Amino acid sequence: MTTAAMAPPAIASSDATSGQARDRVFWGVLMLAPYLLVFAVMVVYPVAYGLWLGLNWQSYKALFADPIFVRTLVNTVVFLFIAVNLKFLMALFLSGFFVQQRAWVRFMLVLFILPWAVPSIPTILSFRVMLNPENGMINQQLFHWFGIVEGPGWLTDPTLAFASSILVHIWKSLPFWTLILVTGRLAIAQDLYEAASVDGANKWQQFRFITWPSLATLYVTSTLLSMIWTLGDFNSVYLLTGGGPGDLNHVLATLGIRYMRNNNLDLGIASIICAMPLILPMVWFMVKRLSKGAE
Amino acid sequence: MRSLAAGAALAAIAAGWSGAALAQETVTVWFTKGFYKGEDDALLAVVDKFQKATGVKVDLSLYATEDCVTKSVGAVQAGTPPDVGFCTTYDFRTTGQWAFEGKLEDVSDVLEPIKAQIQPQALATTLLMNDKTKKKAYYAFPVQQQMMHITYWKDMLEEAGFKESDIPKGWDGYWDFWCDKVQGALRAKGKRIYAVGHPMGVAASDTFYSFLTFANAHNAKVVDEDGKIVLDQPANKAAMVKAVKDYSNISQRGCTPPSSVNWLDPDNNVAFHNRTTVLTHNATISIAAKHLDDMNNQALTQEQRDQAKKNYYDNIRTAEFPNKPDGSPMTNLAAVKTAVVFADGKNKKRGKEFMAFMMKDENLRPFVEGSVGRWFPTTVEAAKAEFWTGADPHRKIVYKQYTDGTTPFQFVYNYKFTTVNAENVWAKAVNRVLVDKVTPEQAVDEMIARIKQIAG
C-alpha cells in the first residue's frame, strides 16, 4: 500500500528529471545553434566545396605532369624548413635581449615590432624596389662606390631570389614570434634565476635548466603554428619575385594563383589540396599539444 | 487640392516613364576600357547612334583589361554572360576555347556579307572550330589588331656615336650592332645603360610575343592549319633551337637588364621611358603613343608637353624588325582582338545587331583610331586611311609592317596554345638555358614534350 501510494510520485519525479534533461538539451542545442550555423557556413561548407572541386583526378595527373609542380613541392619544404627554424632560433635569441626591462631596450622593441605591424604589401614591394638589379638601392650603390656594373641578382638569380624571399618572410614575422617568446620568458619566476645564481649557475646553465624547460612547450607550439602560417605565406614570394625567375621559385601558396591566372581553376584547387598532407599532420599535432596543455 | 492633383499627375508620369523603361529592350555589352579617352568617346558615340537607330538600350560596362577577361570567364562559367563581350585579351586567352566548347554564337551570317571589307588575314583568325558542331565557322568579330615593333631612342643612338643609317639590316648584324657597338660605346662613357629591353618574364605576354617573333624569324613552325603540332619535325625543331639560342644570347651577353627575367608587361615600357634601355621590342606602338598623349595633355606643363612632342617626332623611332636570318623580310605576327556574342546571352539577337553596327567602317574606324595608333584596323578601307599612310613617323611604319604581311598565332589553329602561352613554355626554355645552363637542344626537347602534354 505504502509502496503503491509512493509509486506515482516516483514516476512523477522521473518524468520531471527527464523533462529537465530534455529542457537542458533543448536549451543547449538552441544556445549552440548560432555557433554551429556559423561553423557550418564559414568552415564546413567552404572546405567541403573546395574538396568537391578538387575531386577531379585528372587534375592531379596534369599537376604532376607539370615540371614546375615537383620543383614547387621541394621549394615549399625547403622554404618551410629554413624559414621556420631560422626565425625561431633568432626569436629565441632576441627574446633574451628584449626581455630586459630597460627603457632603451623597450624603445628598441617598439622599433623592432614595426615590420610586423605595418602592412605587408607596401613593405614587401619596397624590398622589391630596393633589390632590383639595375635601379635598386643596393646595386646602385655598388655601382657608384665600386664601379660594379652587374651587382648580385637578388631577384634574378634563382638561389638568391629564393633566399631573398625567405629573408623577407623572416623580417616580416620575426618580431611577432620574438614578442611571444618575450612574454613566455616574462612568465618565468625570477626566484628560480636568483636561486640558480646563488648556487653558482652560469648564464648558459640558467638557460639550459630554467629558461628552456619553461619555454619549450610555448616554443614547439609556436613553431607548429608558424609552420602552418608559413605554408600559406603568399606575399613574401609573390610580391617579391612572382615565383620567378622562370617560375622556378614558386611555393604551393603561389602556384595555385599561377594556375588560376591561367584560367585553370581545377589545377589551382588541386595544387592547394596537395598542401593538405603537409598541413593536416601539423594541425593534428598542434591540437593534440594544446589539448595536453588544457588537461 | 491643387498640389494633390499635381502630385498625382507627377506620380502618373513617373509610373508611365518607369513602365516604359522597364519595357525597353536592352542589350548588355562588356568592353575593355580604352587606353585613351578617344577610344571610349568613340565607343559611346557608337552606342548612342545604335540606341537612336534601334530604340534598344545598350547597357554598356567598361572594365580594366584583366578584370574584363576575368569577369567574362566567371560569367560564362556561371551561365550568365553579357550579350556582347570585347576584351583585348580574349584572343590570347579565351575566344578559341569558348568557340570549341560551343559557348559562342555563330556570327557567320553577319560576317559573310561584309567579308570583302575585312582584311583576309584578320578575318581568318575568327574562323574557329566548334567541337559540338564538328566544323569551323566565324565565332568572333575581328575588331582591331596589333603587331610587334622595334622602338629605339634616336638621340641615345647618336650619343653612342652612331647614325640611323649605321643600323644593319641583317639579323645577326642587327643585334650585334646594338649589343656590342651601341651598348659598348655608352658603357665606355661610364653609363650603366643596356642596349635592348628584352622581355623574359614568364608572366608577361610581351615575352611570348617577342619570343615567337624570334621563332618566326627562324621559320620555326609550331602547328599546321589543322592545329597539329609540327614542331617535332627535324627542320622546325632545328629552327626552334636557333630561336632559343638567339633569344637567350641577348641576355647571356649582358645586353638586356638582368631584371628582364622577371618583367611583367609594362616593365619594358618603363625601362625604355627611363632611358635604361636604348631599344625594345613591343607589341603596339604604345611607347611612342604615350609621348603623343603627353604632348596633348593639358595637365602637364608647357615644358613637359614640348619635351613629349620632341620625343614623339624627333627622339623616338618606330622601326621594323631586321630581315630574317635567311635574308628574307620579316612577316609580322599579328594578334587580332576579337569581340564575341555569347550563346548564353539573354538578347544575343540584338547583340549580333550591335556588333554588325559596330563593324561598319564609319563606326569602327573612330574607335580604332581613338587609340592613337596603339591598335591597327582590321578593315581594308581603314588601313588605307590617311591616319596610317600620312606623315606620322610611327604609324606609317606600322602600315608598312602590315603591308609586308602578317601571320597569326598558333592558338588560332589550336586553342590549347592559349594555355601553352599562358604557361609560357617559350620563356621557360630560355630560362632553362640561362639559369640551369642546359643546352638549347635539351630545352627545346623539354619544350616540345610539354607542348604535346598541353596541346597534343
Side-chain angles (χ1 to χ4, degrees):
Chain A
M1 183 69 191
T2 313
T3 310
M6 293 297 285
I11 291 164
S13 166
S14 170
D15 280 352
T17 310
S18 64
Q20 279 172 358
R22 269 201 305 274
D23 279 357
R24 267 207 303 278
V25 171
F26 172 75
W27 283 108
V29 170
L30 196 69
M31 291 296 139
L32 268 177
Y35 302 104
L36 292 174
L37 188 71
V38 168
F39 187 74
V41 171
M42 305 296 283
V43 180
V44 178
Y45 175 72
V47 170
Y49 185 61
L51 290 172
W52 180 75
L53 284 175
L55 280 180
N56 181 1
W57 299 111
Q58 287 301 318
S59 301
Y60 295 92
K61 207 176 142 193
L63 198 62
F64 279 92
D66 186 345
I68 290 303
F69 180 69
V70 176
R71 185 157 186 150
T72 299
L73 276 181
V74 174
N75 285 348
T76 307
V77 173
V78 173
F79 190 98
L80 208 58
F81 183 80
I82 297 178
V84 173
N85 283 306
L86 205 56
K87 179 168 55 186
F88 272 88
L89 280 175
M90 289 169 76
L92 185 63
F93 177 76
L94 285 166
S95 64
F97 171 72
F98 285 118
V99 80
Q100 299 175 79
Q101 296 300 305
R102 294 181 182 144
W104 68 274
V105 173
R106 284 205 298 271
F107 175 71
M108 284 188 73
L109 184 59
V110 171
L111 293 181
F112 180 70
I113 287 169
L114 279 179
W116 170 75
V118 292
S120 288
I121 293 173
T123 48
I124 296 176
L125 287 179
S126 70
F127 261 95
R128 186 184 169 126
V129 172
M130 198 164 67
L131 296 175
N132 182 285
E134 297 95 61
N135 309 315
M137 186 185 79
I138 298 174
N139 283 8
Q140 281 281 11
Q141 294 310 319
L142 288 176
F143 176 65
H144 288 306
W145 290 341
F146 307 109
I148 298 171
V149 177
E150 302 296 348
W154 305 109
L155 304 177
T156 55
D157 175 88
T159 311
L160 279 179
F162 195 60
S164 300
S165 300
I166 292 176
L167 187 79
V168 166
H169 169 85
I170 292 176
W171 172 82
K172 185 75 189 141
S173 53
L174 180 63
F176 175 78
W177 294 114
T178 305
L179 206 61
I180 294 290
L181 295 184
V182 165
T183 56
R185 279 179 186 262
L186 287 173
I188 303 170
Q190 287 303 303
D191 302 359
L192 295 174
Y193 290 105
E194 284 161 17
S197 183
V198 169
D199 288 347
N202 59 28
K203 290 288 176 192
W204 166 244
Q205 285 167 325
Q206 287 180 20
F207 175 80
R208 191 179 161 196
F209 295 109
I210 301 171
T211 311
W212 178 247
S214 308
L215 274 184
T217 304
L218 180 66
Y219 188 92
V220 175
T221 308
S222 299
T223 304
L224 280 168
L225 196 59
S226 173
M227 282 171 81
I228 295 166
W229 287 355
T230 303
L231 200 58
D233 181 21
F234 171 80
N235 291 348
S236 309
V237 175
Y238 196 81
L239 295 177
L240 202 65
T241 65
D247 270 352
L248 296 172
N249 280 340
H250 275 292
V251 290
L252 282 171
T254 59
L255 190 70
I257 295 296
R258 167 193 179 270
Y259 286 125
M260 289 186 196
R261 200 191 58 218
N262 296 348
N263 299 338
N264 204 334
L265 182 69
D266 285 354
L267 284 192
I269 298 286
S271 66
I272 289 161
I273 287 177
C274 279
M276 288 297 179
L278 282 171
I279 292 174
L280 289 178
M282 285 192 275
V283 173
W284 178 80
F285 192 60
M286 200 182 70
V287 170
K288 205 175 156 199
R289 283 196 69 85
L290 289 174
S291 308
K292 259 188 191 171
E295 283 161 17
Chain B
M1 187 64 191
R2 200 192 306 173
S3 63
L4 188 66
L10 271 174
I13 291 166
W17 178 83
S18 66
L22 283 173
Q24 190 180 15
E25 196 179 358
T26 302
V27 59
T28 309
V29 176
W30 292 359
F31 261 54
T32 297
K33 181 158 173 48
F35 210 71
Y36 303 99
K37 185 173 176 292
E39 291 173 274
D40 291 343
D41 288 348
L43 177 63
L44 291 173
V46 177
V47 166
D48 191 46
K49 276 166 69 179
F50 180 78
Q51 288 182 147
K52 282 178 182 151
T54 60
V56 175
K57 183 180 183 308
V58 177
D59 184 5
L60 175 70
S61 300
L62 298 176
Y63 298 104
T65 311
E66 186 59 26
D67 290 349
C68 192
V69 70
T70 309
K71 199 170 161 63
S72 301
V73 168
V76 168
Q77 277 180 346
T80 55
D83 301 307
V84 175
F86 172 68
C87 302
T88 47
T89 51
Y90 273 175
D91 62 323
F92 279 146
R93 292 169 64 172
T94 56
T95 304
Q97 184 175 355
W98 281 338
F100 191 80
E101 292 170 351
K103 307 276 189 196
L104 301 180
E105 197 67 3
D106 182 341
V107 294
S108 305
D109 55 331
V110 180
L111 286 179
E112 287 288 351
I114 56 168
K115 259 173 96 167
Q117 297 163 30
I118 302 172
Q119 296 159 21
Q121 318 91 296
L123 184 67
T125 66
T126 61
L127 188 69
L128 300 165
M129 185 69 187
N130 181 335
D131 193 42
K132 287 187 176 167
T133 60
K134 303 288 181 198
K135 61 178 187 181
K136 285 187 171 184
Y138 291 110
Y139 282 102
F141 296 93
V143 172
Q144 53 196 16
Q145 58 188 319
Q146 64 182 149
M147 274 165 278
M148 183 62 75
H149 318 283
I150 297 272
T151 306
Y152 61 83
W153 286 104
K154 179 176 152 258
D155 56 336
M156 288 177 80
L157 177 70
E158 287 166 352
E159 194 185 344
F162 297 97
K163 299 187 295 292
E164 289 182 276
S165 55
D166 295 331
I167 303 171
K169 298 273 185 283
W171 186 263
D172 290 335
Y174 185 85
W175 300 109
D176 290 346
F177 171 77
W178 290 103
C179 288
D180 300 337
K181 293 188 175 172
V182 176
Q183 181 170 304
L186 291 169
R187 290 286 172 89
K189 290 186 170 185
K191 302 209 165 185
R192 197 159 161 253
I193 287 169
Y194 298 84
V196 181
H198 196 60
M200 290 191 293
V202 291
S205 65
D206 277 349
T207 310
F208 67 72
Y209 214 139
S210 290
F211 177 83
L212 290 173
T213 301
F214 273 58
N216 190 20
H218 285 279
N219 300 319
K221 199 169 178 191
V222 179
V223 291
D224 63 17
E225 292 194 3
D226 295 322
K228 187 172 166 288
I229 294 162
V230 293
L231 183 58
D232 50 356
Q233 292 174 0
N236 290 328
K237 189 173 152 184
M240 186 57 86
V241 168
K242 284 183 190 162
V244 168
K245 209 182 275 184
D246 231 12
Y247 204 83
S248 316
N249 185 252
I250 291 189
S251 178
Q252 281 166 332
R253 67 209 289 188
C255 187
T256 180
S259 65
S260 53
V261 294
N262 283 336
W263 273 359
L264 300 175
D265 281 332
D267 290 324
N268 66 321
N269 300 37
V270 172
F272 186 87
H273 291 310
N274 290 340
R275 291 172 169 265
T276 309
T277 62
V278 187
L279 170 152
T280 191
H281 24 97
N282 198 43
T284 80
I285 56 168
S286 62
I287 292 177
K290 179 217 179 275
H291 295 269
L292 177 66
D293 200 40
D294 284 354
M295 120 194 171
N296 298 315
N297 185 351
Q298 295 305 314
L300 299 177
T301 64
Q302 186 59 47
E303 193 184 354
Q304 287 171 322
R305 290 203 298 272
D306 291 345
Q307 183 59 50
K309 188 175 181 181
K310 188 169 171 51
N311 286 343
Y312 189 76
Y313 287 108
D314 299 331
N315 291 342
I316 296 175
R317 286 282 185 266
T318 295
E320 294 178 273
F321 268 76
N323 288 332
K324 291 178 175 184
D326 65 10
S328 63
M330 190 73 174
T331 312
N332 296 286
L333 198 59
V336 177
K337 307 288 127 185
T338 48
V340 297
V341 175
F342 291 100
D344 285 340
K346 286 194 180 76
N347 199 354
K348 54 198 178 193
K349 180 176 160 285
R350 290 295 193 184
K352 270 190 191 182
E353 275 178 34
F354 176 77
M355 278 315 300
F357 191 76
M358 177 99 197
M359 289 300 289
K360 286 182 180 176
D361 197 49
E362 69 266 26
N363 294 330
L364 192 57
R365 194 189 293 191
F367 176 68
V368 178
E369 291 181 358
S371 69
V372 293
R374 188 163 178 251
W375 303 114
F376 190 75
T378 50
T379 55
V380 177
E381 283 308 307
K384 288 192 271 187
E386 167 74 13
F387 185 84
W388 296 99
T389 56
D392 186 281
H394 302 280
R395 288 180 216 145
K396 67 182 179 189
I397 299 294
V398 179
Y399 180 73
K400 182 164 186 321
Q401 284 183 279
Y402 155 71
T403 51
D404 285 348
T406 62
T407 186
F409 276 84
Q410 297 93 7
F411 55 68
V412 170
Y413 304 123
N414 179 340
Y415 80 86
K416 290 178 181 166
F417 270 83
T418 53
T419 307
V420 172
N421 291 340
E423 195 177 304
N424 221 331
V425 296
W426 328 105
K428 282 186 187 164
V430 169
N431 274 283
R432 286 282 283 151
V433 173
L434 289 175
V435 176
D436 296 333
K437 313 290 180 211
V438 306
T439 61
E441 287 78 7
Q442 189 186 334
V444 169
D445 280 339
E446 290 171 2
M447 175 202 280
I448 293 171
R450 186 64 184 148
I451 289 174
K452 283 183 169 176
Q453 274 177 352
I454 301 170

